Amino acid sequence: MTTVLIGLLVLGAVAAFWGVGIYNGLVTARNAFKNAFAQIDVQLTRRYDLIPNLVEIAKGYLKHERETLEAVIQARAAAVSGLAAAKARPGDDAAMAQLGAAETGLAGALGRLMMVAEAYPDLKANQNMMQLSEELTSTENRIAFARQAYNDSVMAYNNKREVFPSNIVAGMFNFAHAALLEITEPGQREAPKVSFGA
């Protein structure tokens, strides 16, 4: 009788350690994707801080392009709002979708501003404009890397919470699904058009 009781206690202890190990792995994976999102937050905030300076410099040259400048300002405001919502709930489907849509809108507005700026040689040659454009490009690259790291962390977390037997522990302790951050660049999905002329 004591042998059976000792066997049950050992089995119970092994099951408890197993459950604790899975739980700790899920917590670690969740914290990893939240930390990865914090890196996106840093880079997006940096970009949002650069945009008003870019618009201020462009204002002096683009007097007839008020609509383009206002579109950039509105897109930046929407992106800041989207980031705040995502920061409050990293990994939440709705928050990530809102941020992704806002970032897509901002990328489009900035692209239009840069296209318009190409038509103004004095603006293109402005040292401050060149420096801000370079900083913005560098920040865009950092955002892309941070987004990739976040999406990789989310995938690792989601895999961990969905595979058996981790899914049992994840269900017991309400480890929710985490959403990827998907930002579509304007024209990214379109195939390049080739024309050989007539």
Side-chain angles (χ1 to χ4, degrees):
M1 181 74 163
T2 3
T3 312
V4 172
L5 187 58
I6 291 172
L8 288 175
L9 286 175
V10 168
L11 189 60
V14 168
F17 282 121
W18 170 79
V20 167
I22 290 175
Y23 178 84
N24 288 341
L26 287 165
V27 168
T28 301
R30 181 176 59 196
N31 289 342
F33 87 72
K34 286 182 177 182
N35 179 55
F37 184 80
Q39 303 312 310
I40 291 174
D41 174 36
V42 167
Q43 298 307 325
L44 289 178
T45 300
R46 175 179 158 73
R47 179 171 64 169
Y48 300 159
D49 291 346
L50 290 172
I51 291 172
N53 296 331
L54 191 70
V55 169
E56 265 318 298
I57 292 169
K59 268 185 189 177
Y61 295 91
L62 306 178
K63 292 182 175 39
H64 304 294
E65 304 289 346
R66 186 171 201 77
E67 196 175 290
T68 302
L69 295 172
E70 287 174 3
V72 171
I73 292 167
Q74 289 172 353
R76 178 191 178 270
V80 168
S81 173
L83 179 59
K87 200 176 353 179
R89 300 180 323 271
D92 178 72
D93 286 328
M96 293 297 112
Q98 179 184 352
L99 178 58
E103 282 297 312
T104 298
L106 181 58
L110 281 173
R112 284 188 297 281
L113 174 62
M114 293 306 177
M115 282 178 33
V116 167
E118 288 291 318
Y120 293 82
D122 291 343
L123 176 59
K124 266 178 45 176
N126 181 297
Q127 195 63 38
N128 290 333
M129 184 68 166
M130 288 169 46
Q131 182 181 358
L132 280 171
S133 295
E134 190 175 309
E135 283 185 50
L136 201 55
T137 300
S138 170
T139 302
E140 295 294 336
N141 291 334
R142 290 182 190 146
I143 291 168
F145 289 125
R147 195 174 96 225
Q148 181 64 46
Y150 168 78
N151 285 343
D152 289 346
S153 295
V154 165
M155 186 180 72
Y157 165 76
N158 283 335
N159 286 341
K160 187 170 284 236
R161 67 174 282 283
E162 291 172 10
V163 297
F164 181 80
S166 297
N167 62 346
I168 296 168
V169 175
M172 288 171 41
F173 292 100
N174 295 321
F175 282 87
H177 168 81
L180 299 172
L181 177 56
E182 298 178 308
I183 302 170
T184 54
E185 301 299 325
Q188 181 182 30
R189 302 273 188 234
E190 296 175 18
K193 303 210 177 352
V194 178
S195 173
F196 292 104

